[in-house]
Amino acid sequence: PFVLARDGEGEPGQRVETRSTQSIPRLCWSAPCGVRSEIIPYSQSNNTMQFGRLLLFWLLAGTCHVGSGFTPGLMTLRRTAASTASSIRCDMSDGFRGVGDDDVPVTKIEMGKVPLGKKSISELGFGTIAWGDPDRGFGEDFGKPMVEQAFREMVEGGVTLIDTAEVYGYKGMEAGESSEHLVGAFLDDLRERDPARSVDCVAASKFFPVPWTNMLVGGGLRIGRQAVVDAARASSKRLGRTVDLYQLHFPFPYFGGSDALCEGLAEAVDLGLVRSVGVCNFEKAELEYFHGALAKHGVPLVSNQVKFSLLDRKVLQSGLLDTCRELGVTVLAYEPLEGGLLTGKYHNGQHIYGPSPTTMFSEEQLVERRPIVNLCRLIGTFDGGKTTAQVALNYLMCKGAVPIPGCKNVAQARELLGSCGWRLSETDVEVLDERMDYFERQRSLEGKTESLSKEIQGWLG
């Protein structure tokens, strides 16, 4: 068996011999990020049909572990011009490591729309949890100028949903550089430059229902209806505008009960501090109850923000997505890229040397999820050169959710925008679901085996 030459191992196109001890043949290609690559079958002839049949067999058999470094035949890799129509682009995950703006091409897209109550939002939003937060690198790895450029890129690309919260970047509150402060400043600038686009933007923030939140953001103890109104007023002031979507950050036994929460949210709407109301992290029963409780006050519940990604599909499996659809509640998906795992950046250059080192995930986690990441890469390659991240985000859009990945620089923004304006085929979505079903069954089986093994060890003393 042979693998393609990688950086530091020879010239592009050079054949490198290796030995495989694995019984399952696997596909792989490697190229420096930003360089377009072309895969040539070993016969140097047009073997598209043969390759397609082989790939289909692997997918149907559930054994497609793309990217292990071993090829079913001899392939060569050669660099081609970026304009070559038949070329295949490599995973552009450098966009999530802050490469220069010129490394990522700008693409005009047709942004889809999703209903949010009486308003509509873009099919993609973006989160700002790291903005203003020194613990997440703000002020050292990135700062206000960088996130402002990212904001402009996303908004000018057609994104209208900007998600923040009163506690995001709270350490920068006194300096006027919390997440809400930054979003508010950028929206003010946008209002001066492009009033029409500013009106379309939806600034979403959140109410933190824990009583001692005042220790983080100021104000009094979070008790009763008035605390909700006061918090909404403070968020509105920091944003410099009415809060377009005000969300309950998570379900919590609030002091004053659900009635006090609903009364406070309804009053905030009546006072013009808030335009619409949503929730976060609500399960089916909680969602149905809160939907009915708000309705008694004449306030519709328009959104539920939940953790949802290709690697975390509990929203689908629990029926929560269907419940939201029935109630007219839009699903907003946070952590849609699993902390960067689904960008592919932790698996770039893995091949026979294992995954890239990171403190974010253990080696076991990276190896375990590698087949899913590489399947996204493969699907993206045959879907117009989409990146791993773009495929993972588009999968959520196909399920009816609005992903809100974090965004800190222009390169990230451009890659995120590339997930919009198109859809994976039904076959692509089915293949991803089937592969995840298999992955989850394997994990469940391994968990049961481990549990049984511990029980047996306990019996044996």
Side-chain angles (χ1 to χ4, degrees):
F2 294 83
V3 294
L4 303 177
R6 297 171 60 237
D7 287 349
E9 295 180 340
E11 295 297 321
Q14 180 180 340
R15 301 171 183 179
V16 181
E17 186 172 1
T18 187
R19 297 296 173 192
S20 171
T21 59
Q22 307 207 21
S23 60
I24 300 175
R26 304 181 181 186
L27 292 173
C28 144
W29 59 88
S30 172
C33 196
V35 175
R36 288 180 179 266
S37 312
E38 189 175 356
I39 294 180
I40 312 296
Y42 63 89
S43 66
Q44 296 293 325
S45 63
N46 186 0
N47 288 323
T48 304
M49 189 65 70
Q50 178 183 356
F51 177 78
R53 279 199 291 266
L54 180 61
L55 176 60
L56 180 60
F57 169 79
W58 277 334
L59 292 176
L60 293 177
T63 58
C64 184
H65 294 243
V66 186
S68 67
F70 302 102
T71 60
L74 182 61
M75 295 184 180
T76 59
L77 176 69
R78 70 189 183 201
R79 299 188 183 190
T80 61
S83 59
T84 303
S86 61
S87 59
I88 300 175
R89 192 173 68 190
C90 70
D91 191 322
M92 200 162 52
S93 61
D94 273 345
F96 288 85
R97 287 181 284 183
V99 298
D101 300 349
D102 294 337
D103 293 47
V104 186
V106 181
T107 306
K108 296 294 182 182
I109 58 172
E110 184 92 22
M111 182 67 68
K113 296 295 183 181
V114 176
L116 183 74
K118 296 180 180 179
K119 198 175 175 70
S120 65
I121 56 174
S122 53
E123 61 186 343
L124 174 75
F126 66 99
T128 62
I129 191 171
W131 293 15
D133 189 347
D135 295 333
R136 295 176 182 268
F138 186 83
E140 185 174 346
D141 300 330
F142 65 100
K144 182 176 179 179
M146 187 178 290
V147 295
E148 182 173 13
Q149 290 174 348
F151 175 91
R152 286 194 178 194
E153 193 75 22
M154 291 293 276
V155 171
E156 290 173 6
V159 174
T160 60
L161 177 63
I162 306 105
D163 184 69
T164 183
E166 58 180 349
V167 295
Y168 291 175
Y170 70 89
K171 291 183 178 179
M173 191 86 62
E174 292 185 4
E177 288 194 340
S178 70
S179 179
E180 283 186 331
H181 279 113
L182 292 170
V183 171
F186 302 157
L187 285 170
D188 282 342
D189 177 68
L190 178 65
R191 184 163 53 246
E192 294 179 5
R193 292 184 294 107
D194 192 341
R197 195 181 295 275
S198 173
V199 170
D200 289 338
C201 284
V202 172
S205 193
K206 306 179 189 73
F207 172 76
F208 208 73
V210 177
W212 50 89
T213 304
N214 62 312
M215 297 177 66
L216 304 179
V217 300
L221 286 174
R222 298 285 168 94
I223 299 175
R225 171 192 59 77
Q226 190 58 44
V228 180
V229 177
D230 292 343
R233 182 176 287 109
S235 284
S236 177
K237 183 177 180 181
R238 286 188 289 268
L239 288 168
R241 60 187 280 165
T242 297
V243 183
D244 298 292
L245 174 62
Y246 200 48
Q247 306 158 95
L248 183 60
H249 211 137
F250 49 85
F252 188 81
Y254 185 69
F255 282 11
S258 296
D259 287 342
L261 276 175
C262 292
E263 289 171 7
L265 291 169
E267 185 174 345
V269 172
D270 291 340
L271 293 173
L273 301 172
V274 170
R275 284 200 175 89
S276 59
V277 174
V279 292
C280 305
N281 304 297
F282 273 44
E283 301 292 343
K284 285 175 60 176
E286 296 166 331
L287 184 75
E288 290 170 340
Y289 172 80
F290 211 73
H291 181 274
L294 278 175
K296 293 177 182 177
H297 295 275
V299 177
L301 180 63
V302 302
S303 67
N304 186 15
Q305 187 176 144
V306 293
K307 188 176 185 300
F308 184 21
S309 75
L310 175 59
L311 290 172
D312 188 343
R313 305 181 302 159
K314 290 190 287 290
V315 172
L316 282 173
Q317 296 159 337
S318 68
L320 178 59
L321 189 66
D322 291 333
T323 300
C324 288
R325 189 178 293 115
E326 292 167 3
L327 296 176
V329 173
T330 301
V331 173
L332 310 179
Y334 69 83
E335 290 190 29
L337 296 175
E338 288 291 329
L341 187 59
L342 284 170
T343 67
K345 66 181 179 182
Y346 297 119
H347 294 83
N348 280 349
Q350 60 183 319
H351 299 289
I352 59 176
Y353 303 102
S356 303
T358 174
T359 58
M360 290 282 293
F361 306 98
S362 68
E363 182 174 343
E364 181 182 1
Q365 287 176 311
L366 292 175
V367 171
E368 185 180 48
R369 291 158 177 77
R370 179 172 58 191
I372 304 300
V373 173
N374 287 323
L375 181 56
C376 287
R377 180 181 286 120
L378 179 66
I379 288 174
T381 298
F382 288 97
D383 213 337
K386 302 299 181 183
T387 68
T388 306
Q390 290 166 353
V391 170
L393 293 173
N394 201 270
Y395 169 86
L396 299 180
M397 296 177 194
C398 290
K399 296 297 184 180
V402 177
I404 46 174
C407 184
K408 296 181 293 189
N409 60 59
V410 170
Q412 288 181 358
R414 291 179 181 173
E415 184 168 2
L416 295 175
L417 288 170
S419 67
C420 304
W422 59 282
R423 284 293 180 270
L424 292 167
S425 69
E426 291 184 9
T427 301
D428 289 338
V429 174
E430 288 173 3
V431 166
L432 288 168
D433 279 330
E434 288 170 5
R435 188 61 195 170
M436 274 304 303
D437 289 342
Y438 173 78
F439 170 69
E440 288 164 356
R441 285 195 301 270
Q442 290 295 105
R443 289 193 66 187
S444 177
L445 181 61
E446 289 171 2
K448 291 177 181 177
T449 302
E450 183 179 353
S451 177
L452 180 60
S453 176
K454 289 180 179 178
E455 285 186 25
I456 294 173
Q457 289 175 8
W459 295 336
L460 296 177

